[in-house]
Amino acid sequence: MVECLPEVEAKLVAMRAEYEELLAGDGWSLQRLFSTPDFDIAAFCADFRPNRFAAVALAETESFCRRYGIWLESAGTHYNSMTPYLHPNTISPERMTTIGIYNAILFWLNDTVGREKFANLTTLDQRRATRTLERLSALLETRTAATDPDPVEAAAAEFLTLLADSADAAWLDEFLESTRSHLNTAIRDQNARAHGGVLGVTEYIDLRGDVSGMYPAIALCEFGRDEYLRWDRIRAAGLGEPLARLRRLTADIGALMNDLFSFEKECIRDGADFNLVSVWLLNTPGARLADAVEAAAGIVRERLIEFVTLRARIEALCDALPERDVAVMVGTQVEDMSGCVRATWVWQFTTLRYKGASIFVENRMT
């Protein structure tokens, strides 16, 4: 961890000044940044389509949120649209709606008391946010709502009932614990001042995976299909390690690609610095924002190439596997993770959530 907070603050001021200068330029193409001569991110995602139950699920999710007063008027339509992209293989509108409700609760928390908002809250509101976190964590652990729930707690309790009624019991236990881990990192100030210094790049990437919520999102692919992984059999077939690595790459790509798309929202408009671009910049003496953008994109690009290569290797292993049911199970998970990776590009390219004046061509309003 890099300390010396006054120097950190000075670098952030310089970063934001350079950003204003870069706005006047031609900008970067995120497609170019994430691609190589042998791999084009847009071509990789060209045949991607969101879930067929999108319209029904999005309407039901919005109705649910409005009933509990947790619909974000300015951003709700944009974030709500993510669910059918991230879960294209969900088998029914009911499961699609349940996943949508989960995502909507997380987005509401993110946009009101989450990591980039937390530092700007009053002391009283920070205490309230911490209390909400504690009570949500207790709800996920005990599966019992408080007697006096606030709206988001009541919404989470109803979601939990919907989920428990149709989910595999063992999967549910792991999913709820994964959600608790996510909330414990997401509803708090993760900026350098709160940490007392700047996280190293590797340290940041490890933490970002938990903060992003990508691990619960990947797990929800199993719920969406109503088909659950049996890791004992996957490991016995010799596929445990490569499949776990593919899941880690999926989470990293989802979290770190978002850091590029959301850099301006988080680091310029909200004044946060918990972002791969700023963390790389603060860890690199003499670097400028332009260097940090290229380096951060390179980290994402490396993971995309590893993902495609490892996916092909796992598919070849599955083809040779005698246990055909395990091969099908793993193949389904690989397909779902490919969907998550493609969704990461397609939804962020499509949504208006990050659009505006931008140094990135894909984020500019057209």
Side-chain angles (χ1 to χ4, degrees):
M1 180 177 291
V2 179
E3 297 186 4
C4 192
L5 288 177
E7 182 180 338
V8 168
E9 294 293 340
K11 285 184 177 180
L12 291 172
V13 169
M15 178 191 78
R16 292 177 181 119
E18 185 185 352
Y19 169 81
E20 295 299 328
E21 296 173 4
L22 291 170
L23 269 180
D26 293 335
W28 284 272
S29 163
L30 289 169
Q31 179 181 349
R32 180 191 68 78
L33 288 173
F34 295 143
S35 301
T36 71
D38 299 319
F39 171 81
D40 182 82
I41 183 67
F44 178 65
C45 301
D47 62 349
F48 178 88
R49 298 293 181 272
N51 188 269
R52 65 190 186 279
F53 301 119
V56 172
L58 295 181
E60 290 294 323
T61 299
E62 180 176 347
S63 176
F64 177 96
C65 291
R66 289 190 180 282
R67 180 155 50 89
Y68 283 105
I70 59 169
W71 180 256
L72 296 166
E73 293 295 342
S74 62
T77 300
H78 307 318
Y79 73 65
N80 195 18
S81 68
M82 182 192 73
T83 299
Y85 282 85
L86 201 56
H87 299 281
N89 301 312
T90 297
I91 62 172
S92 71
E94 292 79 17
R95 286 178 184 266
M96 191 81 264
T97 299
T98 300
I99 296 171
I101 290 169
Y102 176 82
N103 289 335
I105 291 169
L106 294 187
F107 264 108
W108 185 87
L109 290 166
N110 179 75
D111 277 20
T112 56
V113 298
R115 59 185 170 85
E116 68 232 41
K117 303 292 187 182
F118 196 95
N120 299 320
L121 300 176
T122 66
T123 301
L124 178 59
D125 284 340
Q126 286 184 352
R127 290 198 195 102
R128 287 173 176 162
T130 301
R131 175 179 175 273
T132 295
L133 168 61
E134 290 169 349
R135 286 163 62 116
L136 286 173
S137 184
L139 168 63
L140 294 171
E141 183 176 17
T142 66
R143 305 185 195 181
T144 302
T147 56
D148 58 339
D150 64 23
V152 72
E153 293 168 28
E158 182 174 343
F159 158 76
L160 189 53
T161 299
L162 292 171
L163 188 66
D165 284 346
S166 52
D168 175 82
W171 173 90
L172 182 62
D173 290 342
E174 293 183 6
F175 173 76
L176 296 182
E177 184 55 38
S178 178
T179 300
R180 289 181 67 212
S181 295
H182 163 62
L183 291 176
N184 283 329
T185 58
I187 305 178
R188 65 177 58 205
D189 187 354
Q190 294 286 7
N191 292 311
R193 245 184 288 184
H195 281 288
V198 180
L199 299 171
V201 173
T202 300
E203 191 179 12
Y204 168 81
I205 291 171
D206 289 343
L207 178 57
R208 182 71 174 96
D210 288 329
V211 171
S212 71
M214 280 301 299
Y215 290 111
I218 293 168
L220 279 168
C221 293
E222 298 173 59
F223 170 78
R225 285 187 185 265
D226 198 22
E227 297 177 8
Y228 302 92
L229 296 176
R230 301 305 177 206
W231 280 97
D232 55 341
R233 300 200 64 206
I234 292 171
R235 284 189 287 268
L239 290 170
E241 185 176 336
L243 188 61
R245 177 60 184 169
L246 199 71
R247 286 163 67 96
R248 169 63 191 263
L249 289 169
T250 302
D252 280 0
I253 291 166
L256 302 178
M257 188 185 289
N258 175 256
D259 277 2
L260 275 293
F261 274 100
S262 65
F263 167 73
E264 289 150 313
K265 175 184 177 296
E266 294 174 0
C267 299
I268 304 303
R269 293 196 288 276
D270 287 338
D273 57 63
F274 187 76
N275 183 286
L276 182 60
V277 176
S278 53
V279 168
W280 188 94
L281 178 66
L282 293 171
N283 275 279
T284 310
R288 292 175 58 80
L289 176 56
D291 304 317
V293 168
E294 294 280 353
I299 290 171
V300 176
R301 186 172 61 247
E302 289 168 1
R303 282 162 171 75
L304 283 166
I305 299 306
E306 184 183 352
F307 179 92
V308 172
T309 302
L310 181 56
R311 184 184 68 165
R313 182 163 77 86
I314 293 173
E315 288 172 346
L317 291 170
C318 285
D319 288 342
L321 198 65
E323 300 89 343
R324 298 314 303 160
D325 58 333
V326 176
V328 170
M329 184 194 310
V330 171
T332 297
Q333 175 74 171
V334 169
E335 181 183 358
D336 285 339
M337 286 189 285
S338 296
C340 287
V341 168
R342 288 173 170 166
T344 297
W345 168 260
V346 177
W347 177 73
Q348 292 182 136
F349 179 83
T350 305
T351 182
L352 297 179
R353 181 172 172 81
Y354 307 118
K355 295 292 191 288
S358 179
I359 58 175
F360 300 119
V361 173
E362 289 83 356
N363 272 4
R364 292 173 178 169
M365 295 294 291
T366 57

